[in-house]
Amino acid sequence: MKNFALIGAAGYIAPRHMKAIKDTGNHLLAAYDPYDGVGIMDSYFPSARFFVEFERFDRYLEKLKYDEKVPLDYISIASPNYLHDAHIRVALRRGADAICEKPLVLNPWNIDALERLSEETGKKINTILQLRLHQTIIDLKKRVEEAPKDKIFDIDLTYITSRGYWYYTSWKGDVTKSGGIATNIGVHFFDMLAWIFGDIQQNTVHIHTHDRAAGFLQLERARVRWFLSINEETLPEAIKAKGQRTYRSITIEGEELEFSAGFTDLHTRSYEEILKGNGYTITDARRAIETVHQIRNQQPVGLKGDYHPFAVK
Ligand code: NAD
Ligand code: HP7
């Protein structure tokens, strides 16, 4: 049984980490969040200690190590994106491996610094990239691998996860904290696309606003028109009619694969792989971090060239 601590315990995704720790037969010793709405802990680890001040959390971890000789194997990190690298350093310096939410960091140079610390401490940094564990995506990767090696696929990727006005008020709406929507939400599919279709050769952004982004990617084995939105008005009419607010779809050579469902257990699946030593590492995360950094820092060209049909919405 491995011992865990959790940073960012009061947030939306934290219960998925608690569940994954429990489902994999492990134990949560302590959790930290400056906000104290963490009653959900009772459903998973009622005996875990909880702190709203970092210094007290840190003192407790030291006490476990030196007074009680209790090992701490992992620190899971579900805090806002711009704090991830600092929280990963807390884990590694304390002698634990890190399991950090996506995006691992906001900028490529943050990865270089973490790589140095990982080498220095001998501790591992794992990240959550759960699209790589989604069955529809695994099947698609297999299909591409089995196709003739010179085949270049035509892809439309549509990724709509509707959010209310709260999103813009929260840290998620602040580009300096979340990286903006292409980083906070898009990182999943940029990682997935390069994982399946190979390195990015051209990266054009057509539009990029607070609630949507669209662009074109030339990958080794695909031409991809992509559209990302958090505005429900951009959902296809048929999806709206079903009352569905999330629409994740990939059209490959005209054939649609919808993968909106199938996400609920993927944090547990991610933990299973991490515990077996097969977690996604800092090296796996780098390519998508570079891609979203480029997208964040380039001027959209407007509706020119090969753009996704939803870009006109
Ligand atoms: P959230 O805002 O609901 O939760 C973040 C939590 O971090 C809050 O409880 C907040 O109080 C806490 N926090 C703020 N400052 C902190 C600090 N200095 N130290 C410790 N905790 C602090 O956000 P969320 O949706 O739970 O997102 C958390 C992380 O998980 C983000 O990195 C996000 O990108 C990621 N996420 C991933 C997925 C996924 O599909 N893999 C889904 C949602 C969120
Ligand atoms: N929801 C909340 O209640 N609070 C939140 O903070 C977020 C959602 P999905 P996930 O928005 O930050 C995706 O669209 O898949 C509600 C990204 N992950 O399925 O869980 C929401 O209103 C993630 O990287 O959201 O998360 C729905 O009712 C990104 O950080 C419900 O939860 C996150 O959005 C489910 O919403 C975000 C993927 O796309 C895989």
Side-chain angles (χ1 to χ4, degrees), residues 18 86 147:
M18 295 178 203

Side-chain angles (χ1 to χ4, degrees), residues 59-312:
R59 182 186 295 135
Y60 182 66
L61 297 186
E62 286 296 289
K63 183 172 117 143
L64 285 177
K65 182 174 182 176
Y66 292 105
D67 298 350
E68 300 182 20
K69 313 283 181 233
V70 175
L72 177 64
D73 302 292
Y74 291 95
I75 297 188
S76 297
I77 298 157
S79 53
N81 302 347
Y82 73 110
L83 302 174
H84 286 173
D85 57 335
H87 290 152
I88 291 170
R89 283 192 285 275
V90 169
L92 270 54
R93 287 178 181 149
R94 174 58 179 72
D97 287 346
I99 300 179
C100 184
E101 267 297 349
K102 50 49 62 179
L104 194 56
V105 287
L106 295 183
N107 299 308
W109 53 88
N110 305 139
I111 294 200
D112 299 337
L114 288 178
E115 248 165 10
R116 277 197 302 272
L117 188 64
S118 180
E119 268 170 38
E120 198 180 298
T121 56
K123 293 293 158 188
K124 208 168 164 185
I125 303 169
N126 302 280
T127 189
I128 305 284
L129 289 169
Q130 78 265 38
L131 252 64
R132 295 194 192 194
L133 298 171
H134 193 291
Q135 196 55 50
T136 306
I137 303 305
I138 293 170
D139 293 345
L140 176 60
K141 182 170 167 63
K142 187 159 179 277
R143 176 170 158 190
V144 170
E145 281 166 359
E146 285 169 358
K149 292 284 166 260
D150 57 353
K151 168 87 186 142
I152 310 282
F153 293 86
D154 279 313
I155 305 285
D156 277 352
L157 191 288
T158 314
Y159 206 93
I160 306 176
T161 56
S162 309
R163 298 286 180 265
Y165 288 106
W166 68 267
Y167 189 96
Y168 307 111
T169 308
S170 79
W171 66 267
K172 295 186 183 190
D174 179 342
V175 73
T176 64
K177 295 184 175 177
S178 69
I181 55 166
T183 299
N184 189 43
I185 297 175
V187 70
H188 286 286
F189 68 76
F190 293 118
D191 173 74
M192 175 267 276
L193 288 169
W195 183 58
I196 298 178
F197 297 106
D199 276 339
I200 293 173
Q201 295 165 347
Q202 186 193 330
N203 180 358
T204 304
V205 178
H206 294 120
I207 54 164
H208 197 173
T209 69
H210 64 295
D211 69 355
R212 69 196 70 183
F216 172 81
L217 289 175
Q218 175 75 57
L219 304 170
E220 278 168 47
R221 307 238 5 233
R223 285 180 291 268
V224 183
R225 303 187 300 183
W226 60 268
F227 178 78
L228 163 67
S229 164
I230 57 169
N231 185 333
E232 63 184 319
E233 293 303 319
T234 61
L235 285 165
E237 289 307 322
I239 298 295
K240 275 190 219 167
K242 285 197 266 178
Q244 204 175 308
R245 287 174 51 81
T246 299
Y247 177 62
R248 298 177 172 105
S249 155
I250 185 162
T251 301
I252 172 163
E253 311 278 301
E255 179 198 337
E256 188 187 12
L257 303 172
E258 204 203 322
F259 58 105
S260 301
F263 281 87
T264 41
D265 279 337
L266 296 183
H267 276 73
T268 296
R269 281 283 303 113
S270 302
Y271 271 63
E272 284 166 358
E273 293 304 321
I274 289 166
L275 288 157
K276 283 191 269 179
N278 300 332
Y280 296 120
T281 62
I282 201 162
T283 310
D284 297 312
R286 182 183 282 276
R287 189 159 48 181
I289 300 297
E290 285 171 352
T291 306
V292 293
H293 177 259
Q294 269 174 19
I295 289 173
R296 200 183 315 133
N297 290 293
Q298 70 177 276
Q299 193 60 34
V301 297
L303 296 181
K304 287 186 208 139
D306 207 2
Y307 56 84
H308 190 291
F310 285 24
V312 296

Side-chain angles (χ1 to χ4, degrees), residues 6-26:
L6 173 63
I7 297 181
Y12 159 71
I13 207 67
R16 251 170 291 165
H17 288 265
M18 295 178 203
K19 183 173 189 306
I21 296 168
K22 195 175 172 89
D23 286 351
T24 53
N26 296 300

